């Protein structure tokens, strides 16, 4: 069966970069994208909030997509330090990451909050990239599927469809560690996520929703991971900070 889900390669820059290096990286990727006649993937940059405006200017007209790393669940008001989904859209963002494990850990974000953020993102016209993943202790205890399914059930907004959201499976123990599950393990979890989506939404949404793998995706493991039947792209942290590596990951899509 031909896979109709266009692969998405998303770079999560996290809390890295100042104006100069962020702009240089974005310009480098914009040139590569413009030089690619028919890339066969979508490429998304998610810089820290301070670099969104500069990145937007650097990638204008290139076909690269822009996203935020988080948003508030309210559309505006007295929320010091926070950014609304509408503000991200105003900057030209098309996507926003919600529920990344670093926000779940650093800021105590749970599924209800993640779902509220995803709902706010969709209301603002953004595509919500909803993250889920197990810790190493949960994996060792054989609870991976239970934990990830519960996060998906708890974090996906009612009525969301495959054009409004993306799921990112990111095992917490694989993030920034250089370790990954085996390809078979990744495919099993992704298939389980798709089956869970079919239960909480419907078959059409489950079939059209892209499910990204994240956690130590590098140029040398990308081809195998991205070729898996239910892997529709990658959410890349460390390797997205070097334009050549990030581009090599996208180019690994066969
Ligand atoms: P990593 O991060 O690629 O550095 O492991 C992935 C992520 O946290 O999104």
């Amino acid at each position: 069966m031909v896979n109709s889900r266009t692969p998405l390669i998303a770079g999560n820059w996290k809390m890295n970069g100042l104006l100069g290096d962020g702009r240089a990286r974005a310009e480098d990727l914009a040139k590569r994208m413009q030089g690619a006649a028919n890339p066969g993937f979508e490429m998304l940059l998610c810089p820290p909030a301070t670099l969104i405006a500069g990145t937007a200017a650097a990638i204008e007209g290139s076909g690269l997509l822009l996203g935020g790393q988080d948003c508030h669940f309210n559309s505006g008001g007295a929320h010091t330090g926070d950014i609304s989904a509408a503000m991200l859209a105003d900057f030209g963002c098309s996507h926003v990451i919600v529920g990344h494990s670093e926000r779940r850990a650093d800021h105590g974000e749970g599924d209800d909050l993640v779902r509220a953020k995803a709902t706010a993102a969709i209301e603002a016209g953004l595509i919500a990239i909803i993250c889920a993943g197990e810790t190493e202790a949960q994996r060792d205890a054989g609870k991976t599927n239970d934990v990830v399914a519960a996060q998906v059930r708890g974090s996906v907004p009612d009525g969301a469809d495959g054009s409004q959201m993306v799921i990112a499976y990111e095992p917490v123990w694989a993030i920034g560690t250089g370790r990954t599950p085996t390809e078979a393990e990744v495919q099993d979890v992704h298939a389980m996520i798709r089956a869970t989506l079919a239960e909480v939404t419907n078959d059409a949404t489950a079939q059209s929703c892209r499910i990204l793998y994240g956690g130590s995706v590098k140029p040398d493991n990308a081809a195998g991971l991205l070729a898996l039947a239910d892997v529709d792209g990658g959410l890349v942290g460390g390797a997205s900070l070097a334009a050549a590596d990030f581009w090599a990951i996208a180019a690994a899509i066969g």
Side-chain angles (χ1 to χ4, degrees), residues 12 14 100-102 170 174-178 214-218 235-239:
N12 175 10
K14 308 192 180 183
H100 190 280
S101 62
E102 287 152 15
E170 298 207 306
I175 294 176
T177 60
S216 296
V217 177
K218 309 284 179 206
L235 180 54
V236 185

Side-chain angles (χ1 to χ4, degrees), residues 28 43 66 75 90 98-99 105 121 136 165 171 179 185 213:
D28 184 326
M43 179 173 273
L66 186 63
S75 58
D90 193 34
V98 294
E136 185 152 32
M165 66 176 169
R179 298 161 58 209
E185 287 167 341
Y213 170 76

Side-chain angles (χ1 to χ4, degrees), residues 98-99 104 110-119 130-132 149-158 165 167:
V98 294
R104 289 179 186 261
D111 293 335
D112 287 348
L113 180 58
V114 175
R115 190 204 318 242
K117 290 182 176 204
T119 302
I130 301 169
C131 302
Q151 288 178 342
V152 170
R153 286 178 199 283
S155 305
V156 168
D158 289 341
M165 66 176 169
I167 307 293

Side-chain angles (χ1 to χ4, degrees), residues 93-236:
C93 290
S94 52
H95 293 66
V96 62
I97 300 168
V98 294
H100 190 280
S101 62
E102 287 152 15
R103 292 211 58 91
R104 289 179 186 261
D106 291 356
H107 300 272
E109 297 191 1
D111 293 335
D112 287 348
L113 180 58
V114 175
R115 190 204 318 242
K117 290 182 176 204
T119 302
I122 291 168
E123 277 169 6
L126 299 178
I127 297 171
I129 301 178
I130 301 169
C131 302
E134 81 287 358
T135 64
E136 185 152 32
Q138 289 165 334
R139 171 163 285 252
D140 290 347
K143 296 196 169 126
T144 297
N145 281 2
D146 290 348
V147 168
V148 175
Q151 288 178 342
V152 170
R153 286 178 199 283
S155 305
V156 168
D158 289 341
D161 69 31
S163 68
Q164 296 172 314
M165 66 176 169
V166 169
I167 307 293
Y169 169 54
E170 298 207 306
V172 179
W173 55 274
I175 294 176
T177 60
R179 298 161 58 209
T180 64
T182 65
E183 289 170 9
E185 287 167 341
V186 170
Q187 168 55 27
D188 281 354
V189 176
H190 279 234
M192 182 280 297
I193 291 172
R194 205 174 298 287
T196 304
L197 280 175
E199 280 171 36
V200 297
T201 60
N202 54 55
D203 279 342
T205 296
Q207 287 309 316
S208 61
C209 185
R210 286 175 290 183
I211 305 176
L212 312 184
Y213 170 76
S216 296
V217 177
K218 309 284 179 206
D220 61 357
N221 64 16
L225 290 165
L226 297 174
L228 297 169
D230 284 294
V231 174
D232 308 309
L235 180 54
V236 185

